[in-house]
Amino acid sequence: MQKGKGRTSRIRRRKLCGSSESRGVNESHKSEFIELRKWLKARKFQDSNLAPACFPGTGRGLMSQTS
């Protein structure tokens, strides 16, 4: 049996090697994102699993908080 090829090993590797730059940085505290949330709420958009984020290379966007 090969060691380090299973699901648990992959999860551990993602935790150790994963950086916040590759996943996007949560920026929900900034005023422009607060205004976006208010705008979406006024239009009856409801999705609590999305958070505004800044991604390297592509810029700003919405990031899912769950997989």
Side-chain angles (χ1 to χ4, degrees), residues 31-43:
S31 62
E32 58 263 17
F33 291 117
I34 293 171
E35 292 298 319
L36 173 64
R37 282 278 209 201
K38 288 179 183 177
W39 185 82
L40 289 170
K41 187 176 181 180
R43 284 151 182 78

Side-chain angles (χ1 to χ4, degrees), residues 4 8 15 17 21-22 26-27 36-37 41 43-44 49 53 62-63 65-66:
T8 304
K15 284 182 181 178
C17 297
E21 289 94 27
S22 64
N26 189 342
E27 295 189 345
L36 173 64
R37 282 278 209 201
K41 187 176 181 180
R43 284 151 182 78
K44 309 237 186 311
N49 291 331
L62 292 175
M63 174 178 63
Q65 294 179 334
T66 59

